Amino acid sequence: MRNFPKLFLKPNFWIIVLIAAQIAAIIFLCLYLPAFLPITVAFAAVWVLTAVTSVVLLLRCGSSEVKCAWFIIIATVPIAGALIFFIATAKPKPHGVLKINSEETGLAKAANIVCGTALAGYDKAKYFSTGMKFWNCAIAEIESARKSVCIEFFIISRGQLFNRVMGALETARARGAEIKIICDGVGSAFRINRKDIKRLQKAGMKVKVFNRLPPFPRANINLRDHRKIITVDGRVAFTGGVNLADEYINLDSPYGFWKDTGLAVYGEAAKVFEGMFSAMWNGRHEMPAPARGEKNCLPFYDSPDCKTFCEDAYIAAISSANERVHIFTPYFCVSEKAAAALAFTAQRGVDVTVIIPHIPDKKYAFEVSKAFAQSLKKSGVKFYEYTPGFMHAKTVICDDSVFLGSYNFDFRSTHYNYECGVLFNEDICAEVERDFQNSLALSTEMQAGKLSRLKRLSCFILRLFAPLI
């Protein structure tokens, strides 16, 4: 009897309960079929709808975790679950498709096949350990623009930073530069309004809102443009975790010190980021292969209608690491294959350390992160909480390689969002590692703690449905 409550936390228990309930209903209806014919017909219709929906679910591409969560919804709430499934998972039209015709090898070949990018040369790269450093450099480059400025952010918000960027854009526009801006309809909802957009347009800038928040639910509202891109004259590109809002430069942060990171890359690689922007602006874009140089990096991206690249690239790098895997992330919600790669790498004796926030912006996401972390701690993966405030940086260091960009270490970034990033080998990795160690010194190790049954149940439910949220 003591172990009986634990059954409620096991997925197999609920699967058996659902199957038993359906068998009992079938037996009952067979015994009393004439008296309950209308009910039998209705039950059969629901059963057929559930079966068809489940088959469609299994035949579609996607992770097993996502399929499991959807199957529970479909089985538990048959009619509504099926309708929600078909509405929410309607296949989007291809959008943001970049194509570079290039002969590649290794990881760059996979990137070219999956997301159309290519290895590119660069002259120099700058790493920014705070949002303020990122924006100071970006604003200076925007002010010097002569041909074009492309800006793409998940969040664009009114405030002091917006006014500073607006001033820089007006300076560039007065010099004749073409200005194009993309913001996400959900991320920027209630942060900027039509009046702000008209102000930009009146100043001669072109603005597009990606998947504007509609008055009624629709399938593609789940697909978000989470990218962070600035390109200036095709000669420099900025990316990272930073958005265009005051909290990112700690002018108005409600969660303590807002820790973020970013990057500027100069040279041919900037043209690839400009190509990514053009693909989102026009729906698709094709460009010639960028020139190689003494130093090369690999820009990449993910779109919901393409195969995932970043997660597989992470797993390949993590699995081949021999010394360290160091991760900055605001949210930690990984697939079984990513969790297995982290666990096995830690068991091989590699230092696998993850820094997450101490003060979260979303409490449910923080609970999900801790639920995933608890299981990996048993395998030797170390988790720390950034005590000064909110850790929003998005970086993965594997030995002497570093991934930077807009990706969180979670399902949403690798399966539902439009994201972007860049991989560097050796160059700037030492600088990023120093920032990681400085942040680690300000962090405390996440404590396991004994959870109540109610807490464990809530963590179980959050973890079960995390792939959908």
Side-chain angles (χ1 to χ4, degrees), residues 126-323:
K126 291 182 181 179
Y127 174 72
F128 307 108
S129 58
T130 67
M132 180 64 81
K133 293 177 180 177
F134 174 96
W135 276 110
N136 285 341
C137 184
I139 289 171
E141 292 291 354
I142 290 171
E143 287 178 334
S144 67
R146 295 184 176 278
K147 296 179 182 178
S148 66
V149 177
C150 300
I151 293 178
E152 181 178 356
F153 282 101
F154 178 62
I155 295 174
I156 296 180
S157 178
R158 292 183 301 274
Q160 296 181 49
L161 179 59
F162 180 84
N163 292 333
R164 284 185 61 194
V165 174
M166 184 68 183
L169 289 171
E170 287 173 341
T171 300
R173 186 75 190 96
R175 195 181 289 112
E178 182 182 31
I179 313 294
K180 292 181 178 179
I181 301 170
I182 301 174
C183 65
D184 185 77
V186 171
S188 300
F190 312 113
R191 287 175 170 264
I192 59 170
N193 53 33
R194 294 181 184 277
K195 184 178 179 181
D196 299 309
I197 293 174
K198 285 182 179 179
R199 176 188 169 189
L200 293 168
Q201 293 172 334
K202 191 175 180 180
M205 306 171 201
K206 299 176 183 177
V207 184
K208 286 189 177 183
V209 179
F210 179 81
N211 280 357
R212 191 185 298 274
L213 187 64
F216 301 103
R218 63 186 186 197
N220 63 359
I221 201 65
N222 193 43
L223 309 180
R224 310 299 350 139
D225 183 359
H226 195 249
R227 296 179 184 178
K228 287 86 175 166
I229 295 176
I230 303 173
T231 67
V232 179
D233 294 342
R235 61 178 178 80
V236 57
F238 294 81
T239 191
V242 184
N243 278 298
L244 205 167
D246 286 351
E247 59 264 35
Y248 292 86
I249 56 174
N250 283 287
L251 289 179
D252 182 25
S253 175
Y255 311 108
F257 183 83
W258 192 291
K259 169 63 178 175
D260 226 317
T261 59
L263 170 91
V265 59
Y266 295 77
E268 285 290 303
K271 294 179 181 178
V272 180
F273 279 97
E274 191 175 54
M276 290 183 202
F277 178 91
S278 296
M280 284 299 290
W281 186 270
N282 299 312
R284 62 185 304 113
H285 180 72
E286 189 168 345
M287 60 180 286
R292 307 286 173 84
E294 292 184 8
K295 296 186 291 185
N296 297 294
C297 63
L298 179 61
F300 58 88
Y301 70 91
D302 271 302
S303 297
D305 50 329
C306 299
K307 296 178 181 178
T308 60
F309 172 78
C310 184
E311 184 182 43
D312 290 338
Y314 279 171
I315 291 171
I318 290 166
S319 300
S320 61
N322 294 312
E323 296 180 7

Side-chain angles (χ1 to χ4, degrees), residues 16 44 71 78 103 118-119 177 191 207 232 237 246 367 407 416 420-421:
I16 291 170
F71 180 76
E103 294 293 328
L119 208 64
R191 287 175 170 264
V207 184
V232 179
D246 286 351
E367 293 301 326
Y407 293 84
Y416 302 126
C420 67

Side-chain angles (χ1 to χ4, degrees), residues 343 347 373-381 383:
Q347 290 166 350
Q374 294 298 346
S375 61
L376 283 172
K377 279 172 67 71
K378 298 174 184 177
S379 301
V381 180
F383 287 85

